[in-house]
PDB file of all heavy atoms in Angstrom:
ATOM      1  N   GLY A  15       4.344  14.815 -13.261  1.00  0.00           N
ATOM      2  CA  GLY A  15       3.375  15.483 -14.082  1.00  0.00           C
ATOM      3  C   GLY A  15       3.427  16.973 -13.859  1.00  0.00           C
ATOM      4  O   GLY A  15       3.318  17.712 -14.827  1.00  0.00           O
ATOM      5  N   GLN A  30       8.561  34.944 -24.845  1.00  0.00           N
ATOM      6  CA  GLN A  30       7.872  36.110 -24.387  1.00  0.00           C
ATOM      7  C   GLN A  30       8.524  36.784 -23.184  1.00  0.00           C
ATOM      8  O   GLN A  30       7.988  37.677 -22.606  1.00  0.00           O
ATOM      9  CB  GLN A  30       6.429  35.754 -24.007  1.00  0.00           C
ATOM     10  CG  GLN A  30       5.649  35.098 -25.139  1.00  0.00           C
ATOM     11  CD  GLN A  30       5.538  36.045 -26.326  1.00  0.00           C
ATOM     12  OE1 GLN A  30       5.283  37.254 -26.177  1.00  0.00           O
ATOM     13  NE2 GLN A  30       5.756  35.512 -27.500  1.00  0.00           N
ATOM     14  N   ALA A  47      26.216  51.391 -20.841  1.00  0.00           N
ATOM     15  CA  ALA A  47      25.824  50.351 -21.803  1.00  0.00           C
ATOM     16  C   ALA A  47      24.558  49.659 -21.336  1.00  0.00           C
ATOM     17  O   ALA A  47      23.650  49.353 -22.125  1.00  0.00           O
ATOM     18  CB  ALA A  47      26.937  49.346 -21.991  1.00  0.00           C
ATOM     19  N   VAL A  49      22.249  50.876 -19.343  1.00  0.00           N
ATOM     20  CA  VAL A  49      21.085  51.793 -19.476  1.00  0.00           C
ATOM     21  C   VAL A  49      20.596  51.828 -20.916  1.00  0.00           C
ATOM     22  O   VAL A  49      19.396  51.763 -21.185  1.00  0.00           O
ATOM     23  CB  VAL A  49      21.451  53.221 -19.023  1.00  0.00           C
ATOM     24  CG1 VAL A  49      20.363  54.223 -19.341  1.00  0.00           C
ATOM     25  CG2 VAL A  49      21.755  53.228 -17.504  1.00  0.00           C
ATOM     26  N   ALA A  85      29.745  38.102 -17.460  1.00  0.00           N
ATOM     27  CA  ALA A  85      30.491  38.835 -16.447  1.00  0.00           C
ATOM     28  C   ALA A  85      31.568  39.685 -17.133  1.00  0.00           C
ATOM     29  O   ALA A  85      32.284  39.136 -18.027  1.00  0.00           O
ATOM     30  CB  ALA A  85      31.123  37.879 -15.472  1.00  0.00           C
ATOM     31  N   GLU A  94      47.463  38.667 -16.112  1.00  0.00           N
ATOM     32  CA  GLU A  94      46.785  37.956 -17.253  1.00  0.00           C
ATOM     33  C   GLU A  94      46.934  36.447 -17.120  1.00  0.00           C
ATOM     34  O   GLU A  94      45.927  35.698 -17.282  1.00  0.00           O
ATOM     35  CB  GLU A  94      47.503  38.402 -18.555  1.00  0.00           C
ATOM     36  CG  GLU A  94      47.062  37.684 -19.788  1.00  0.00           C
ATOM     37  CD  GLU A  94      45.809  38.270 -20.392  1.00  0.00           C
ATOM     38  OE1 GLU A  94      45.391  39.372 -19.975  1.00  0.00           O
ATOM     39  OE2 GLU A  94      45.212  37.608 -21.261  1.00  0.00           O
ATOM     40  N   TYR A  97      44.558  34.960 -14.307  1.00  0.00           N
ATOM     41  CA  TYR A  97      43.134  35.001 -14.629  1.00  0.00           C
ATOM     42  C   TYR A  97      42.819  34.055 -15.788  1.00  0.00           C
ATOM     43  O   TYR A  97      41.800  33.351 -15.754  1.00  0.00           O
ATOM     44  CB  TYR A  97      42.671  36.417 -14.980  1.00  0.00           C
ATOM     45  CG  TYR A  97      42.252  37.193 -13.775  1.00  0.00           C
ATOM     46  CD1 TYR A  97      43.146  38.065 -13.125  1.00  0.00           C
ATOM     47  CD2 TYR A  97      40.942  37.019 -13.223  1.00  0.00           C
ATOM     48  CE1 TYR A  97      42.735  38.765 -12.020  1.00  0.00           C
ATOM     49  CE2 TYR A  97      40.589  37.716 -12.092  1.00  0.00           C
ATOM     50  CZ  TYR A  97      41.462  38.565 -11.510  1.00  0.00           C
ATOM     51  OH  TYR A  97      41.073  39.277 -10.354  1.00  0.00           O
ATOM     52  N   LYS A 102      40.345  29.059 -17.663  1.00  0.00           N
ATOM     53  CA  LYS A 102      40.571  27.785 -18.363  1.00  0.00           C
ATOM     54  C   LYS A 102      40.124  26.608 -17.422  1.00  0.00           C
ATOM     55  O   LYS A 102      39.427  25.689 -17.862  1.00  0.00           O
ATOM     56  CB  LYS A 102      41.981  27.619 -18.768  1.00  0.00           C
ATOM     57  CG  LYS A 102      42.268  26.380 -19.610  1.00  0.00           C
ATOM     58  CD  LYS A 102      43.694  26.323 -20.094  1.00  0.00           C
ATOM     59  CE  LYS A 102      43.914  25.092 -20.966  1.00  0.00           C
ATOM     60  NZ  LYS A 102      45.359  25.043 -21.441  1.00  0.00           N
ATOM     61  N   PRO A 125      44.919  70.647  -6.530  1.00  0.00           N
ATOM     62  CA  PRO A 125      46.160  71.248  -6.921  1.00  0.00           C
ATOM     63  C   PRO A 125      46.878  70.586  -8.091  1.00  0.00           C
ATOM     64  O   PRO A 125      47.728  71.177  -8.751  1.00  0.00           O
ATOM     65  CB  PRO A 125      46.996  71.175  -5.650  1.00  0.00           C
ATOM     66  CG  PRO A 125      45.990  71.061  -4.536  1.00  0.00           C
ATOM     67  CD  PRO A 125      44.848  70.249  -5.122  1.00  0.00           C
ATOM     68  N   ASN A 157      46.344  46.089  -4.420  1.00  0.00           N
ATOM     69  CA  ASN A 157      47.014  47.342  -4.124  1.00  0.00           C
ATOM     70  C   ASN A 157      47.351  47.955  -5.463  1.00  0.00           C
ATOM     71  O   ASN A 157      48.234  47.481  -6.157  1.00  0.00           O
ATOM     72  CB  ASN A 157      48.248  47.152  -3.280  1.00  0.00           C
ATOM     73  CG  ASN A 157      49.018  48.441  -3.091  1.00  0.00           C
ATOM     74  OD1 ASN A 157      48.476  49.507  -3.288  1.00  0.00           O
ATOM     75  ND2 ASN A 157      50.284  48.298  -2.772  1.00  0.00           N
ATOM     76  N   GLU A 175      30.776  51.354  -1.837  1.00  0.00           N
ATOM     77  CA  GLU A 175      29.581  51.745  -2.552  1.00  0.00           C
ATOM     78  C   GLU A 175      29.955  52.889  -3.540  1.00  0.00           C
ATOM     79  O   GLU A 175      30.506  53.917  -3.094  1.00  0.00           O
ATOM     80  CB  GLU A 175      28.509  52.219  -1.577  1.00  0.00           C
ATOM     81  CG  GLU A 175      27.087  52.229  -2.131  1.00  0.00           C
ATOM     82  CD  GLU A 175      26.784  53.440  -2.924  1.00  0.00           C
ATOM     83  OE1 GLU A 175      27.200  54.543  -2.505  1.00  0.00           O
ATOM     84  OE2 GLU A 175      26.211  53.337  -4.020  1.00  0.00           O
TER      85      GLU A 175
END
Side-chain angles (χ1 to χ4, degrees):
Q30 302 301 315
V49 172
E94 175 83 12
Y97 273 97
K102 186 176 181 179
N157 175 19
E175 200 278 316

